[in-house]
Amino acid sequence: MKRKVERMKKIREKKKKMRRAAAAAAAAVMLFGMAGCGGNSGLSEEELSIYDNTKIILHGLKETDIEVSVAELKAMESVTEKAEAKRSNGDKVSVKATGPLLDTLVKAYGGDTADFSTVRFRAGDGYSVAMTSGMIEDSDVIVSYYDNGAPHEPENGPVRIVVPGQRAMYWVRMLTQIDFETEASALTPESLILLDTALPELDDENIERNGAAMQAVRTSALISEYSDIDDNTVYNVYMTASDGLNKNETKENFLNNYIRTSGENSPEFTGPELPDGMTVNGLMKINYGSTAFLSMAQLYEKDGTATGEGVPFSALLKAVGNMTSDEYRITDAEGNSAGYTLEELSDAVFILNSDGSVTFDPAVFGGVKMEGVLRIDAQY
Ligand SMILES: Nc1nc2c(c(=O)[nH]1)N[C@H]1C(S)=C(S)[C@@H](COP(=O)(O)O)O[C@H]1N2
Ligand SMILES: [Mo]
């Protein structure tokens, strides 16, 4: 009961921030909430009609946005599947979801999910998550309007994405919009910036998230300093954590948040208002246009990358998506730099020191060691 009250409070607070697109869903959430203690059965006629009239928006599928009501979803060929997934805290989420598959929904409007590289699901509380076309092809993405044969609990519905076999992260509650995107994937980087050196160079701020104070650097400050914040070709920003989690965020959402620099799991993509489940802790890599950012500290956390000597140059390249070139320039925080061929670098290692600084050791090639390595640029 207490949990329910807290959830209701959360919903009410978050409601304030809802965009207009979420207004219909919000109305249903509130109405259900008030009558909510009896669970999701026995809706009044009025409640049912609000539920059925709740609309989700399909954006990017056609020239103009399409609105689909729950009633229209119900009229489509639907599947019912039981599914279980684990939350990040280890708890289980289980549902018996009913609704059309995403493919069915898209086909109903003459589209094909295979035409898009990414599908992003957005919710009324500001939560969003993207699925790649590969994941969509390999899974049943259910646009569910029922759980267990009845409307979703208000904090989950009226529409919830359920993807059996995929992390609960993808099971977007309170769905308001689906974005169909065509950007291919992360670009091959031309520059690699080491976060271990770059972040301490920037001003950090004290931010508060869920009542906890933390130190963090604005993502916009990082990008302004080390990449091109005005690059209009950047659409999505790709992140990878040392535990293998891959996320991609819109540039807008990325630039409105922070990178936490204090605490065990830092660097962490976070922000005062970023919904739980959208933070990325143990952030190892960011691809922003043709700039890649890499955390050596997190690379050391990842199995099999660091040897006794350090991280081989090849492992560094692999971690950011193969920045292949014949020549590279390596630069330290003071701006001193040296150029090397790929061959010369084949036995070189990068060492994370206990103070968090990074040393470049050209090893057998016999070049000069460099302390405080900041960046590596491919010389195309
Ligand atoms: N709208 C919305 N959907 C969401 C989230 C969220 O914060 N908002 N969190 C996601 C994450 S990270 C998890 S683990 C699951 C948790 O599912 P549950 O809330 O049913 O336990 O919901 C997912 N869907
Ligand atoms: Mo989660």
Side-chain angles (χ1 to χ4, degrees):
M1 199 59 217
K2 189 156 166 268
R3 181 144 177 251
K4 177 123 198 169
V5 170
E6 278 168 8
R7 280 186 155 187
M8 286 308 302
K9 212 173 112 206
K10 234 177 160 180
I11 289 167
R12 255 181 262 123
E13 281 166 7
K14 282 179 173 163
K15 215 192 126 246
K16 280 189 228 146
K17 293 179 219 142
M18 284 184 185
R19 291 164 302 142
R20 211 171 44 180
V29 164
M30 233 188 84
L31 209 120
F32 284 149
M34 284 166 178
C37 290
N40 57 18
S41 58
L43 295 182
S44 74
E45 228 160 89
E46 195 191 355
E47 286 163 349
L48 252 180
S49 128
I50 288 176
Y51 180 92
D52 280 347
N53 285 317
T54 302
K55 292 181 174 73
I56 59 165
I57 294 167
L58 308 182
H59 176 76
L61 187 57
K62 291 275 134 110
E63 303 248 299
T64 55
D65 287 357
I66 300 166
E67 288 190 341
V68 189
S69 70
V70 171
E72 286 170 308
L73 291 177
K74 283 178 170 174
M76 290 178 193
E77 187 191 339
S78 295
V79 298
T80 296
E81 282 187 49
K82 275 192 181 171
E84 266 182 8
K86 262 192 195 150
R87 289 196 202 106
S88 10
N89 67 8
D91 289 355
K92 237 194 282 172
V93 190
S94 47
V95 298
K96 191 177 139 201
T98 302
L101 294 174
L102 181 67
D103 282 332
T104 308
L105 171 62
V106 168
K107 283 206 180 97
Y109 293 94
D112 187 342
T113 47
D115 293 342
F116 303 95
S117 58
T118 305
V119 178
R120 190 181 306 276
F121 301 100
R122 297 180 182 270
D125 59 352
Y127 184 81
S128 70
V129 69
M131 285 183 79
T132 60
S133 56
M135 286 177 71
I136 287 173
E137 214 173 289
D138 293 344
S139 353
D140 284 349
V141 180
I142 305 171
V143 187
S144 75
Y145 46 78
Y146 282 167
D147 178 17
N148 246 325
H152 286 286
E153 292 283 347
E155 68 272 26
N156 292 337
V159 181
R160 181 175 198 172
I161 295 294
V162 173
V163 194
Q166 294 286 0
R167 303 178 189 231
M169 184 177 98
Y170 298 106
W171 299 18
V172 178
R173 306 184 271 105
M174 302 183 277
L175 183 77
T176 53
Q177 182 164 327
I178 306 178
D179 291 350
F180 297 86
E181 303 174 1
T182 50
E183 186 181 76
S185 61
L187 296 176
T188 299
E190 288 169 17
S191 303
L192 189 171
I193 312 290
L194 292 179
L195 288 171
D196 313 77
T197 310
L199 288 172
E201 298 271 316
L202 299 167
D203 291 333
D204 55 12
E205 298 177 21
N206 292 309
I207 63 164
E208 201 183 293
R209 178 187 163 74
N210 293 343
M214 55 188 74
Q215 241 99 39
V217 166
R218 279 181 193 273
T219 47
S220 56
L222 181 74
I223 300 303
S224 303
E225 185 68 27
Y226 298 108
S227 189
D228 180 6
I229 201 162
D230 298 318
D231 183 348
N232 289 324
T233 64
V234 177
Y235 188 66
N236 284 329
V237 181
Y238 299 81
M239 290 184 269
T240 304
S242 53
D243 65 2
L245 175 74
N246 282 302
K247 293 220 80 177
N248 101 42
E249 289 300 338
T250 60
K251 175 190 186 175
E252 185 194 15
N253 188 46
F254 179 78
L255 289 178
N256 279 329
N257 283 287
Y258 289 81
I259 296 189
R260 182 180 183 177
T261 52
S262 63
E264 239 186 86
N265 291 317
S266 68
E268 178 183 24
F269 175 63
T270 190
E273 308 286 337
L274 194 69
D276 291 342
M278 286 180 83
T279 61
V280 180
N281 59 43
L283 183 60
M284 189 180 78
K285 182 220 71 175
I286 305 165
N287 289 96
Y288 186 97
S290 56
T291 310
F293 296 87
L294 183 72
S295 164
M296 282 285 285
Q298 291 303 324
L299 197 56
Y300 270 70
E301 292 292 314
K302 200 176 162 253
D303 288 342
T305 46
T307 67
E309 279 86 54
V311 175
F313 182 64
S314 58
L316 223 66
L317 293 191
K318 199 168 158 226
V320 297
N322 275 325
M323 192 169 88
T324 12
S325 176
D326 293 337
E327 273 177 54
Y328 299 87
R329 181 152 287 277
I330 303 179
T331 308
D332 72 13
E334 258 91 64
N336 307 304
S337 73
Y340 294 93
T341 65
L342 178 62
E343 205 185 332
E344 287 167 346
L345 290 171
S346 63
D347 290 313
V349 291
F350 290 78
I351 303 150
L352 179 68
N353 303 302
S354 52
D355 65 357
S357 68
V358 178
T359 301
F360 166 61
D361 186 351
V364 293
F365 174 67
V368 184
K369 270 194 188 184
M370 182 186 275
E371 308 289 342
V373 180
L374 172 66
R375 62 187 298 153
I376 302 168
D377 294 275
Q379 308 294 104
Y380 290 112

